[in-house]
């Protein structure tokens, strides 16, 4: 682990936010290849947006070339709609991987038979996530569509088997959306997923408008209401106890924030987005972080899009957002303050028991990096 690089990355995110200048590049680049999907899930609705658009291959490849030249740790997430409807998805994955870009994908699992599973596992992806929104067939199917639970189960089994047969492959994860329809089953998803042989389980709270998180509303469908918050806390207690003893669950923040989120008590002191961490490229080529688009990669470079006045305005609005959505792709908690950043570096150095001379060298370079930002801020 390059601890100095990690420290400098955290500084770049911190001072990008504080000074409102693009020192950092996005860590997460979500790419919606198209909004075509095999389902029409009730809590999603992307199939109703940008119908008929599909991000041209040459446009995406140009953006990938640019990302590869950033010299910045960055992951590209291929999503949709259902990304495996895209005929050239494996060519796109290969294009990114050959340029050294980590690539992940998220699927509902509806298309992943044994043949496709082998292609996915051998493709060079670093993570393949399957959406699973209930421990019971009736729950998952009521949210997505009849037969979708069975298809998700088969997809996971096929992926796990292919990975076992090949002896290598990406992390296989399950992503679960927390909502009132499945609040009583959140814990039960753990043994179900573990029994299938997955590597990781991630929970995230439901959102109202995927294209504008700031429009989230407690009156929306799927929202966990006051009378179910005690149930949610009980589920969190059991999930945390399991994680402490057995692992598997990836907590990207304090899970008890889910309760505050749904009761409307979450504040920027609890959770805030760093507006420089995440971007989404839509099937129309438009680039967004949260809210309105600020450029189109079909008309200008991705870097140019990040430097537009509209991009600056979008980031300023995110900094003022009073409705934290707990979508972890926007967050970078360790960069919230220089103290957090320094503490993270010190912890890393202690854990690896770096030699005294090496430790002194790293700390001196870290101080020099911090002083450079202080000079800029003057």
């Amino acid at each position: 682990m390059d601890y100095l690089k990690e420290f400098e990355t955290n500084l770049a995110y911190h001072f990008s936010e504080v000074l409102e200048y693009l020192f950092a590049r996005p860590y997460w680049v979500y790419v919606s290849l198209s909004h075509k999907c095999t389902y029409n899930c009730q809590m999603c609705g992307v199939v109703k947006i940008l119908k008929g658009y599909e991000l041209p291959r040459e446009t995406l490849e140009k953006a990938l070339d640019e990302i590869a030249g950033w010299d910045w740790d960055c992951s590209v997430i291929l999503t949709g709609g259902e990304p495996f409807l895209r005929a050239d998805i494996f060519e796109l994955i290969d294009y990114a991987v050959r340029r050294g870009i980590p690539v992940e994908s998220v699927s509902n699992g509806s298309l992943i038979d044994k043949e496709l599973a082998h292609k996915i596992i051998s493709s060079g992806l670093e993570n393949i996530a399957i959406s699973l929104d209930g421990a019971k067939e009736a729950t998952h199917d009521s949210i997505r569509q009849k037969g979708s639970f069975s298809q998700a189960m088969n997809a996971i089994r096929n992926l796990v088997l292919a990975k076992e047969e090949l002896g290598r492959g990406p992390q296989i994860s399950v992503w679960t959306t927390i909502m009132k329809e499945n609040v009583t089953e959140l814990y039960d998803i753990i043994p179900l997923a573990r029994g299938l042989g997955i590597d990781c389980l991630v929970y995230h709270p439901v959102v109202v408008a995927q294209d504008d998180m700031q429009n989230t509303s407690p009156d929306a469908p799927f929202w966990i209401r006051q009378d179910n918050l005690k149930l949610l806390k009980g589920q969190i207690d059991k999930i945390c106890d399991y994680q402490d003893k057995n692992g598997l669950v990836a907590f990207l923040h304090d899970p008890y924030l889910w309760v505050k989120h749904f009761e409307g008590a979450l504040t920027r002191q609890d959770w805030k987005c760093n507006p420089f961490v995440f971007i989404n490229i839509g099937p129309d080529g438009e680039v967004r972080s949260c809210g309105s688009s600020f450029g189109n990669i079909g008309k200008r470079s991705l870097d140019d899009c990040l430097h537009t006045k509209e991009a600056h305005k979008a980031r300023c609005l995110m900094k003022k957002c009073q409705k934290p959505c707990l979508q972890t792709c926007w967050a970078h908690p360790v960069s919230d303050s220089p103290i957090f950043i320094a503490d993270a570096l010190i912890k890393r150095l202690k854990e690896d028991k770096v030699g005294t001379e090496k430790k002194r060298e790293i700390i001196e370079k870290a101080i020099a990096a911090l002083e450079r930002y202080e000079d800029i801020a003057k």
Side-chain angles (χ1 to χ4, degrees), residues 295-309:
N296 190 300
I297 60 169
K299 300 176 182 178
R300 63 203 309 173
S301 72
L302 179 54
D303 206 56
D304 281 348
C305 293
L306 296 173
H307 281 89
T308 60
K309 291 180 180 179

Side-chain angles (χ1 to χ4, degrees), residues 62-102:
K62 183 180 176 182
L64 292 171
D65 288 341
E66 200 173 340
I67 291 168
W70 278 351
D71 189 27
W72 189 263
D73 286 342
C74 173
S75 288
V76 169
I77 317 295
L78 299 178
T79 182
E82 171 52 47
F84 292 101
L85 282 171
R86 178 83 179 223
D88 61 353
I89 187 170
F90 292 106
E91 287 83 356
L92 292 169
I93 293 169
D94 183 63
Y95 192 91
V97 170
R98 284 189 287 111
R99 279 150 185 77
I101 303 171

Side-chain angles (χ1 to χ4, degrees), residues 115-268:
E115 181 181 357
L116 184 57
H118 271 268
K119 289 182 179 179
I120 291 170
I121 293 299
S122 59
S123 67
L125 282 176
E126 295 212 346
N127 178 65
I128 174 65
I130 304 297
S131 299
L132 183 62
D133 292 325
K136 298 177 182 177
E137 181 176 15
T139 302
H140 183 88
D141 283 4
S142 69
I143 295 166
R144 293 180 177 268
Q145 74 175 42
K146 186 174 178 59
S148 59
F149 181 83
S150 176
Q151 289 179 322
M153 294 295 99
N154 287 334
I156 296 169
R157 292 188 188 100
N158 289 335
L159 289 166
V160 170
L161 179 61
K163 187 172 178 179
E164 289 174 352
E165 290 176 349
L166 292 171
R168 59 183 174 83
Q171 175 179 261
I172 301 171
S173 59
V174 160
W175 286 9
T176 296
T177 303
I178 302 167
M179 58 188 101
K180 67 181 178 64
E181 281 71 13
N182 64 11
V183 67
T184 61
E185 300 176 27
L186 295 174
Y187 172 78
D188 292 335
I189 289 173
I190 296 177
L192 173 64
R194 169 144 263 167
L196 293 169
I198 69 159
D199 303 306
C200 178
L201 173 60
V202 177
Y203 295 94
H204 55 271
V206 69
V207 297
V208 177
Q210 280 91 352
D211 61 339
D212 190 353
M213 303 302 180
Q214 295 169 21
N215 281 333
T216 188
S217 166
D219 299 321
F222 301 99
W223 201 264
I224 298 177
R225 307 297 199 269
Q226 191 70 34
D227 55 348
N228 276 330
L229 291 177
K230 187 175 180 181
L231 277 173
L232 175 60
K233 185 179 182 302
Q235 291 287 302
I236 297 170
D237 289 341
K238 294 170 69 175
I239 292 169
C240 288
D241 182 64
Y242 184 94
Q243 169 62 18
D244 288 343
K245 295 175 181 176
N246 306 289
L248 187 69
V249 182
F251 290 137
L252 306 179
H253 52 245
D254 177 359
Y256 288 97
L257 291 179
W258 299 335
V259 177
K260 296 188 73 172
H261 172 65
F262 284 110
E263 66 183 3
L266 197 66
T267 69
R268 286 181 60 81

